[in-house]
Amino acid sequence: MTVGAFVIVALTLVCNACSDKIETPTSATTTATTAILFSGTLQPRGVRFYSYTLTTSGAVSALLASVERNGVPAGNALEIGIGAPAGTDCAVTMSANGPASLIPQLRHDAAAGTYCVRVADIEGLAAPMTFTIRLIHP
Amino acid sequence: MIHRRFSFGAVLLALATGVGCNGDTPTSPTATATTATAAAPAYTEEWIDTLSVGGTRFYSFTVTQYGTVNVALTSVSGQFVPGTVTVGLGIGTPAAETCSPTSSISTQSGTGPQLTGAYNPGVYCVIIRDVGNLFAAARFSITVAYP
């Protein structure tokens, strides 16, 4: 090897060593989630809400897990919504009206901050019902 | 001659090494002391509601910039409720089905803010509660001023 060739090889090695190449991680990234169960009794035409704080941004989903009267499942539809606490209520930005479900009725990406999930009877229950909302957030 | 060519290569190598790694040279940090100035209240909301015996009520509001929040219990009234009755008043954050206070006092109604403080952007709440002095439901008025 000539001295010139040696210099070229050395320069190549030096440049590679100092490059700002970003290493792509190969390991999978997992995000921990937290589940909140919000249960209570909802009066006919009543409204209740539950406030929670996200410390990191991420996907939030909510579902009406159950509607019962005296321990017996009921098919009544209730409106659930997600929003931010405002005044004496929860100002919802998205909502869905339906019976209890196994799949999320609401899903959105949220930044860190304080939010609320709200349940309301907009169809007129014949009697008070117990409900459970399952909220999953980062 | 070979010795001279080798010396030239060594010099070139040294220069290239210095140039190649130049981007990693740290620069001296510039000291920029920043003191946040609390913005004055720009919005005012009046909350009029009823507090039941042994009850609790809360009201949420959003602060959009770092600044001063003033809370004033301006009146408490009602049948069998003296205007000088002492109730609990607090500022905090909405949590679950209530307001979790970070600052609270027992106070009578008055004109000046009974609670004040500087808060970062976020959602906060004012909470009022009966500390055991009410014998009947009380009508109250609270003014919240925030930036």
Coordinates of all heavy atoms in Angstrom, one line a residue, chain A residues 7-94:
Chain A
V7 N -3.4 7.2 3.4 CA -4.0 8.4 3.8 C -5.5 8.4 3.5 O -6.4 8.8 4.3 CB -3.3 9.6 3.2 CG1 -4.2 10.9 3.4 CG2 -1.9 9.8 3.8
I8 N -5.8 7.9 2.3 CA -7.2 7.9 1.9 C -8.0 6.9 2.8 O -9.1 7.2 3.3 CB -7.3 7.4 0.4 CG1 -6.8 8.5 -0.5 CG2 -8.8 7.1 0.0 CD1 -6.7 8.1 -1.9
V9 N -7.5 5.8 3.1 CA -8.1 4.8 4.0 C -8.3 5.4 5.4 O -9.4 5.3 6.0 CB -7.4 3.5 4.0 CG1 -7.9 2.6 5.1 CG2 -7.4 2.8 2.7
A10 N -7.3 6.1 5.8 CA -7.3 6.7 7.2 C -8.4 7.7 7.2 O -9.2 7.8 8.2 CB -6.0 7.2 7.6
L11 N -8.5 8.6 6.2 CA -9.5 9.7 6.2 C -10.9 9.1 6.2 O -11.8 9.6 6.8 CB -9.3 10.5 4.9 CG -8.1 11.6 5.0 CD1 -7.9 12.3 3.7 CD2 -8.4 12.6 6.1
T12 N -11.1 8.0 5.4 CA -12.4 7.4 5.3 C -12.8 6.9 6.7 O -13.9 7.1 7.2 CB -12.4 6.2 4.4 OG1 -11.9 6.7 3.1 CG2 -13.7 5.6 4.2
L13 N -11.9 6.3 7.4 CA -12.2 5.7 8.8 C -12.5 6.9 9.7 O -13.4 6.8 10.5 CB -11.0 4.9 9.3 CG -10.7 3.6 8.6 CD1 -9.4 3.0 9.1 CD2 -11.9 2.6 8.8
V14 N -11.7 8.0 9.6 CA -12.0 9.1 10.5 C -13.3 9.7 10.2 O -14.1 10.0 11.2 CB -10.9 10.2 10.3 CG1 -11.3 11.5 11.0 CG2 -9.6 9.7 10.9
C15 N -13.7 9.9 9.0 CA -15.0 10.5 8.6 C -16.1 9.6 9.1 O -17.1 10.1 9.6 CB -15.1 10.7 7.1 SG -14.1 12.1 6.6
N16 N -16.0 8.3 9.0 CA -17.0 7.4 9.4 C -17.2 7.5 10.9 O -18.3 7.5 11.5 CB -16.8 6.0 9.0 CG -17.0 5.8 7.5 OD1 -17.7 6.6 6.9 ND2 -16.5 4.8 6.9
A17 N -16.1 7.6 11.6 CA -16.1 7.6 13.1 C -16.8 8.9 13.6 O -17.4 8.9 14.7 CB -14.7 7.5 13.6
C18 N -16.6 10.0 12.9 CA -17.2 11.2 13.4 C -18.5 11.6 12.7 O -19.1 12.7 13.0 CB -16.2 12.4 13.1 SG -14.7 12.2 14.0
S19 N -19.1 10.7 11.9 CA -20.3 11.1 11.3 C -21.5 11.1 12.3 O -21.4 10.5 13.4 CB -20.7 10.1 10.2 OG -21.0 8.9 10.8
D20 N -22.5 11.9 12.1 CA -23.6 12.1 13.0 C -24.8 11.2 12.6 O -25.9 11.5 12.6 CB -24.1 13.5 13.0 CG -23.1 14.5 13.6 OD1 -22.4 14.0 14.5 OD2 -23.0 15.6 13.1
K21 N -24.4 10.0 12.1 CA -25.4 9.1 11.7 C -26.3 8.7 12.8 O -25.8 8.3 13.9 CB -24.7 7.8 11.0 CG -25.7 6.9 10.4 CD -25.0 5.8 9.6 CE -24.0 5.0 10.4 NZ -23.3 4.0 9.6
I22 N -27.6 8.7 12.6 CA -28.6 8.3 13.6 C -28.8 6.9 13.6 O -29.2 6.3 12.5 CB -29.9 9.1 13.5 CG1 -29.6 10.6 13.6 CG2 -30.9 8.6 14.5 CD1 -30.8 11.4 13.2
E23 N -28.6 6.2 14.7 CA -28.8 4.8 14.8 C -30.3 4.5 14.9 O -31.0 5.1 15.7 CB -28.1 4.2 16.0 CG -26.6 4.3 15.9 CD -26.0 3.5 14.8 OE1 -26.6 2.5 14.4 OE2 -24.9 3.8 14.3
T24 N -30.8 3.7 14.1 CA -32.2 3.3 14.2 C -32.4 2.2 15.2 O -31.8 1.1 15.1 CB -32.7 2.8 12.8 OG1 -32.5 3.8 11.8 CG2 -34.2 2.5 12.8
P25 N -33.3 2.5 16.2 CA -33.4 1.4 17.2 C -34.2 0.2 16.6 O -35.1 0.4 15.8 CB -34.2 2.1 18.3 CG -34.9 3.2 17.6 CD -34.0 3.7 16.5
T26 N -33.8 -0.9 17.0 CA -34.5 -2.1 16.5 C -35.5 -2.7 17.5 O -36.3 -3.4 17.1 CB -33.4 -3.2 16.1 OG1 -32.6 -3.4 17.3 CG2 -32.6 -2.7 15.0
S27 N -35.3 -2.3 18.8 CA -36.2 -2.8 19.7 C -37.6 -2.1 19.7 O -37.7 -1.0 19.4 CB -35.6 -2.7 21.1 OG -35.4 -1.3 21.4
A28 N -38.6 -2.8 20.0 CA -40.0 -2.3 19.9 C -40.2 -1.4 21.1 O -39.7 -1.6 22.2 CB -41.0 -3.4 20.0
T29 N -41.0 -0.3 20.9 CA -41.3 0.7 21.9 C -42.7 0.4 22.4 O -43.6 0.3 21.7 CB -41.2 2.1 21.4 OG1 -39.9 2.3 20.9 CG2 -41.5 3.1 22.6
T30 N -42.9 0.2 23.7 CA -44.2 0.0 24.3 C -44.6 1.2 25.1 O -43.8 1.8 25.8 CB -44.2 -1.3 25.2 OG1 -43.2 -1.1 26.2 CG2 -43.9 -2.5 24.4
T31 N -45.9 1.5 25.1 CA -46.4 2.6 25.8 C -47.4 2.1 26.9 O -48.3 1.4 26.6 CB -47.2 3.6 24.9 OG1 -46.3 4.0 23.9 CG2 -47.7 4.8 25.7
A32 N -47.1 2.4 28.1 CA -47.9 2.0 29.2 C -49.3 2.7 29.2 O -49.3 3.9 28.9 CB -47.2 2.2 30.6
T33 N -50.3 2.0 29.5 CA -51.6 2.7 29.5 C -52.3 2.5 30.9 O -51.9 1.5 31.6 CB -52.6 2.1 28.5 OG1 -52.7 0.7 28.7 CG2 -52.1 2.4 27.1
T34 N -53.2 3.4 31.2 CA -53.9 3.3 32.5 C -55.4 3.2 32.2 O -55.9 3.9 31.3 CB -53.6 4.5 33.3 OG1 -52.2 4.6 33.5 CG2 -54.3 4.5 34.7
A35 N -56.0 2.4 33.0 CA -57.5 2.3 32.8 C -58.2 2.9 34.0 O -57.8 2.7 35.2 CB -57.9 0.8 32.7
I36 N -59.2 3.6 33.7 CA -60.1 4.2 34.8 C -61.5 3.7 34.6 O -62.0 3.6 33.5 CB -60.1 5.8 34.6 CG1 -58.7 6.4 34.9 CG2 -61.2 6.4 35.6 CD1 -58.7 7.9 34.6
L37 N -62.0 3.2 35.8 CA -63.4 2.8 35.8 C -64.2 3.8 36.5 O -64.0 4.1 37.7 CB -63.6 1.4 36.4 CG -62.9 0.2 35.7 CD1 -63.1 -1.0 36.5 CD2 -63.6 0.1 34.3
F38 N -65.1 4.5 35.8 CA -66.0 5.5 36.4 C -67.4 4.9 36.5 O -68.0 4.7 35.5 CB -65.9 6.8 35.5 CG -66.9 7.8 35.8 CD1 -67.3 8.1 37.1 CD2 -67.5 8.6 34.8 CE1 -68.2 9.1 37.4 CE2 -68.4 9.6 35.1 CZ -68.8 9.8 36.4
S39 N -67.8 4.7 37.8 CA -69.1 4.1 38.0 C -69.9 5.0 38.9 O -69.4 5.8 39.7 CB -68.9 2.7 38.7 OG -68.2 1.9 37.9
G40 N -71.2 4.9 38.7 CA -72.1 5.7 39.6 C -73.6 5.4 39.2 O -73.9 4.5 38.4
T41 N -74.4 6.2 39.7 CA -75.9 6.2 39.4 C -76.2 7.4 38.7 O -75.9 8.5 39.0 CB -76.7 6.1 40.7 OG1 -76.3 4.9 41.5 CG2 -78.2 6.0 40.4
L42 N -76.9 7.2 37.6 CA -77.3 8.3 36.7 C -78.9 8.5 36.8 O -79.6 7.5 36.6 CB -76.9 8.1 35.3 CG -77.2 9.2 34.3 CD1 -76.2 10.4 34.7 CD2 -76.9 8.8 32.9
Q43 N -79.3 9.6 37.2 CA -80.7 9.9 37.3 C -81.3 10.2 35.9 O -80.6 10.6 35.0 CB -80.9 11.2 38.2 CG -80.4 11.0 39.6 CD -81.2 10.0 40.4 OE1 -82.4 9.8 40.2 NE2 -80.5 9.3 41.3
P44 N -82.6 10.0 35.8 CA -83.2 10.4 34.5 C -82.9 11.8 34.1 O -83.0 12.7 35.0 CB -84.7 10.2 34.8 CG -84.7 9.1 35.8 CD -83.6 9.4 36.7
R45 N -82.5 12.0 32.9 CA -82.0 13.4 32.4 C -80.8 13.9 33.2 O -80.5 15.1 33.1 CB -83.2 14.4 32.5 CG -84.4 14.0 31.6 CD -84.1 14.1 30.2 NE -85.2 13.7 29.3 CZ -85.2 13.5 28.0 NH1 -84.1 13.7 27.4 NH2 -86.2 13.2 27.3
G46 N -80.1 13.0 33.9 CA -79.0 13.4 34.7 C -77.7 13.5 33.9 O -77.6 13.0 32.8
V47 N -76.7 14.1 34.5 CA -75.4 14.3 34.0 C -74.3 14.0 35.1 O -74.5 14.5 36.2 CB -75.1 15.7 33.4 CG1 -73.7 15.9 33.0 CG2 -76.0 15.9 32.2
R48 N -73.3 13.3 34.7 CA -72.2 13.2 35.7 C -70.9 13.2 34.8 O -70.9 12.8 33.7 CB -72.3 11.9 36.5 CG -73.5 11.9 37.4 CD -73.5 10.7 38.3 NE -72.3 10.6 39.2 CZ -72.2 9.7 40.2 NH1 -73.2 8.8 40.4 NH2 -71.2 9.7 41.0
F49 N -69.8 13.7 35.5 CA -68.6 13.7 34.8 C -67.4 13.4 35.7 O -67.5 13.5 36.9 CB -68.3 15.0 34.0 CG -68.1 16.2 34.8 CD1 -66.8 16.6 35.1 CD2 -69.1 16.9 35.3 CE1 -66.5 17.7 35.9 CE2 -68.9 18.1 36.1 CZ -67.6 18.5 36.4
Y50 N -66.3 13.0 35.1 CA -65.1 12.6 35.9 C -63.9 13.2 35.2 O -63.7 13.1 34.0 CB -65.0 11.0 35.8 CG -63.9 10.4 36.6 CD1 -64.2 9.7 37.8 CD2 -62.6 10.3 36.1 CE1 -63.2 9.1 38.5 CE2 -61.6 9.7 36.8 CZ -61.9 9.1 38.0 OH -61.0 8.4 38.7
S51 N -63.1 13.9 36.0 CA -61.9 14.6 35.5 C -60.6 13.7 35.7 O -60.5 13.0 36.7 CB -61.7 15.9 36.2 OG -62.8 16.7 36.0
Y52 N -59.7 13.8 34.7 CA -58.5 13.1 34.8 C -57.4 13.9 34.1 O -57.7 14.8 33.3 CB -58.6 11.7 34.1 CG -59.0 11.7 32.7 CD1 -58.1 11.7 31.7 CD2 -60.4 11.8 32.3 CE1 -58.5 11.8 30.3 CE2 -60.8 11.9 31.0 CZ -59.8 11.9 30.0 OH -60.2 12.0 28.7
T53 N -56.2 13.6 34.5 CA -55.0 14.4 34.0 C -54.1 13.5 33.2 O -53.7 12.4 33.8 CB -54.3 15.1 35.1 OG1 -55.2 16.0 35.7 CG2 -53.1 15.8 34.6
L54 N -53.7 13.9 32.0 CA -52.7 13.1 31.2 C -51.4 13.8 31.5 O -51.2 15.0 31.2 CB -53.1 13.2 29.8 CG -54.4 12.6 29.3 CD1 -54.5 12.6 27.8 CD2 -54.6 11.2 29.8
T55 N -50.4 13.0 31.9 CA -49.0 13.6 32.1 C -48.2 13.5 30.8 O -47.2 14.1 30.6 CB -48.3 12.9 33.2 OG1 -48.3 11.5 32.9 CG2 -49.0 13.1 34.5
T56 N -48.7 12.6 29.9 CA -48.0 12.5 28.6 C -49.1 12.5 27.5 O -50.3 12.1 27.8 CB -47.2 11.2 28.4 OG1 -48.0 10.1 28.6 CG2 -46.1 11.2 29.5
S57 N -48.8 12.8 26.3 CA -49.7 12.7 25.2 C -49.9 11.3 24.7 O -49.1 10.4 25.0 CB -49.2 13.6 24.0 OG -48.0 13.1 23.5
G58 N -51.0 11.1 24.0 CA -51.3 9.7 23.6 C -52.7 9.5 23.2 O -53.6 10.4 23.3
A59 N -53.0 8.3 22.9 CA -54.4 7.9 22.5 C -55.3 7.6 23.7 O -54.8 7.0 24.7 CB -54.4 6.7 21.6
V60 N -56.5 8.2 23.7 CA -57.4 8.0 24.8 C -58.7 7.4 24.2 O -59.1 7.8 23.1 CB -57.8 9.3 25.4 CG1 -58.9 9.1 26.5 CG2 -56.6 10.0 26.1
S61 N -59.2 6.3 24.8 CA -60.4 5.7 24.4 C -61.4 5.6 25.5 O -60.9 5.4 26.7 CB -60.1 4.4 23.7 OG -59.6 3.5 24.6
A62 N -62.6 5.6 25.2 CA -63.7 5.5 26.3 C -64.8 4.6 25.7 O -65.1 4.7 24.5 CB -64.2 6.9 26.6
L63 N -65.4 3.9 26.6 CA -66.5 3.1 26.2 C -67.5 3.0 27.4 O -67.1 3.0 28.6 CB -66.1 1.7 25.8 CG -65.4 0.7 26.7 CD1 -66.4 -0.1 27.5 CD2 -64.5 -0.3 25.9
L64 N -68.8 2.9 27.1 CA -69.8 2.7 28.1 C -69.8 1.2 28.4 O -70.3 0.4 27.5 CB -71.1 3.2 27.6 CG -72.3 3.0 28.6 CD1 -72.1 3.8 29.8 CD2 -73.6 3.4 27.8
A65 N -69.2 0.7 29.5 CA -69.0 -0.7 29.7 C -70.3 -1.4 30.2 O -70.5 -2.5 29.8 CB -67.9 -0.9 30.7
S66 N -71.1 -0.7 31.0 CA -72.3 -1.3 31.4 C -73.4 -0.3 31.8 O -73.1 0.8 32.2 CB -72.0 -2.3 32.6 OG -71.7 -1.5 33.8
V67 N -74.6 -0.7 31.7 CA -75.8 0.0 32.2 C -76.7 -1.0 32.8 O -77.1 -2.0 32.2 CB -76.6 0.7 31.0 CG1 -77.8 1.5 31.6 CG2 -75.7 1.7 30.3
E68 N -77.0 -0.7 34.1 CA -77.7 -1.7 34.9 C -78.8 -1.0 35.7 O -78.7 0.1 36.1 CB -76.8 -2.5 35.8 CG -75.7 -3.3 35.1 CD -74.8 -4.0 36.1 OE1 -74.9 -3.7 37.3 OE2 -74.0 -4.9 35.6
R69 N -79.8 -1.8 36.0 CA -80.8 -1.4 37.0 C -81.0 -2.6 37.9 O -81.4 -3.7 37.5 CB -82.1 -1.0 36.3 CG -83.1 -0.4 37.3 CD -84.5 -0.1 36.7 NE -85.4 0.4 37.7 CZ -86.7 0.5 37.5 NH1 -87.2 0.2 36.4 NH2 -87.4 1.0 38.5
N70 N -80.8 -2.3 39.2 CA -80.9 -3.4 40.3 C -80.1 -4.6 39.9 O -80.5 -5.7 40.1 CB -82.4 -3.8 40.5 CG -83.2 -2.6 40.9 OD1 -82.8 -1.7 41.7 ND2 -84.5 -2.6 40.5
G71 N -78.9 -4.3 39.3 CA -78.0 -5.4 39.0 C -78.3 -6.2 37.7 O -77.6 -7.1 37.4
V72 N -79.3 -5.8 37.0 CA -79.7 -6.4 35.8 C -79.3 -5.6 34.6 O -79.6 -4.4 34.6 CB -81.2 -6.7 35.7 CG1 -81.6 -7.3 34.4 CG2 -81.7 -7.5 36.9
P73 N -78.5 -6.1 33.7 CA -78.1 -5.3 32.5 C -79.3 -4.7 31.8 O -80.3 -5.4 31.6 CB -77.4 -6.3 31.6 CG -76.9 -7.4 32.6 CD -78.0 -7.5 33.6
A74 N -79.2 -3.5 31.4 CA -80.2 -2.8 30.6 C -79.7 -2.4 29.3 O -78.5 -2.1 29.1 CB -80.7 -1.6 31.4
G75 N -80.6 -2.3 28.3 CA -80.1 -1.9 27.0 C -80.3 -0.4 26.7 O -80.2 0.0 25.5
N76 N -80.5 0.4 27.7 CA -80.7 1.8 27.5 C -79.4 2.5 26.9 O -78.3 2.1 27.3 CB -81.0 2.5 28.8 CG -82.3 2.0 29.4 OD1 -82.3 0.9 30.0 ND2 -83.4 2.7 29.2
A77 N -79.7 3.4 26.1 CA -78.5 4.2 25.5 C -78.2 5.4 26.4 O -79.1 6.0 26.9 CB -78.9 4.7 24.1
L78 N -77.0 5.6 26.5 CA -76.5 6.8 27.3 C -75.5 7.5 26.4 O -74.8 6.9 25.6 CB -75.9 6.5 28.6 CG -76.8 5.8 29.6 CD1 -75.9 5.4 30.9 CD2 -77.9 6.7 30.0
E79 N -75.4 8.8 26.6 CA -74.4 9.6 25.8 C -73.1 9.7 26.6 O -73.2 10.1 27.8 CB -74.9 11.0 25.5 CG -73.9 11.8 24.7 CD -74.4 13.2 24.5 OE1 -74.3 14.0 25.5 OE2 -74.8 13.6 23.4
I80 N -72.0 9.3 26.0 CA -70.7 9.6 26.7 C -69.9 10.6 25.9 O -70.1 10.6 24.6 CB -69.9 8.3 26.9 CG1 -69.5 7.6 25.6 CG2 -70.7 7.3 27.8 CD1 -68.6 6.5 25.8
G81 N -69.2 11.4 26.5 CA -68.4 12.4 25.8 C -67.1 12.6 26.5 O -66.9 12.3 27.7
I82 N -66.1 13.2 25.7 CA -64.8 13.6 26.3 C -64.6 15.0 26.0 O -64.9 15.5 24.9 CB -63.7 12.7 25.6 CG1 -63.8 11.3 26.0 CG2 -62.3 13.3 26.0 CD1 -62.8 10.4 25.3
G83 N -64.1 15.7 27.0 CA -63.8 17.2 26.8 C -62.9 17.7 27.9 O -62.1 17.0 28.5
A84 N -63.2 18.9 28.3 CA -62.4 19.6 29.4 C -63.3 20.1 30.4 O -64.4 20.7 30.1 CB -61.5 20.7 28.8
P85 N -62.9 20.1 31.7 CA -63.8 20.7 32.7 C -63.9 22.2 32.5 O -62.9 22.9 32.2 CB -63.0 20.4 34.0 CG -62.1 19.3 33.7 CD -61.7 19.4 32.3
A86 N -65.2 22.6 32.6 CA -65.4 24.1 32.4 C -66.7 24.4 33.2 O -67.7 23.8 33.0 CB -65.6 24.4 30.9
G87 N -66.5 25.4 34.0 CA -67.6 25.8 34.9 C -68.0 24.7 35.8 O -67.1 24.1 36.4
T88 N -69.3 24.4 35.9 CA -69.7 23.3 36.8 C -70.0 22.0 35.9 O -70.6 21.1 36.4 CB -71.0 23.7 37.5 OG1 -72.0 24.1 36.5 CG2 -70.8 24.9 38.4
D89 N -69.5 22.0 34.7 CA -69.8 20.8 33.9 C -68.5 20.4 33.1 O -67.4 20.9 33.4 CB -70.8 21.2 32.8 CG -71.6 20.0 32.3 OD1 -71.1 18.9 32.5 OD2 -72.6 20.2 31.5
C90 N -68.6 19.4 32.2 CA -67.5 19.0 31.4 C -67.9 19.4 30.0 O -69.0 18.9 29.4 CB -67.4 17.5 31.5 SG -66.3 16.7 30.3
A91 N -67.2 20.3 29.3 CA -67.5 20.8 28.0 C -66.9 19.7 27.0 O -65.7 19.7 26.7 CB -66.8 22.1 27.8
V92 N -67.8 18.9 26.4 CA -67.4 17.8 25.6 C -67.0 18.3 24.2 O -67.7 19.2 23.6 CB -68.4 16.7 25.5 CG1 -68.7 16.1 26.9 CG2 -69.7 17.2 24.9
T93 N -66.0 17.7 23.6 CA -65.6 18.1 22.2 C -65.9 16.9 21.3 O -65.9 17.1 20.1 CB -64.1 18.3 22.2 OG1 -63.4 17.2 22.8 CG2 -63.7 19.6 22.9
M94 N -66.2 15.7 21.9 CA -66.7 14.6 21.0 C -67.6 13.7 21.9 O -67.4 13.6 23.1 CB -65.5 13.8 20.5 CG -64.6 13.2 21.5 SD -63.1 12.5 20.8 CE -63.7 11.4 19.6

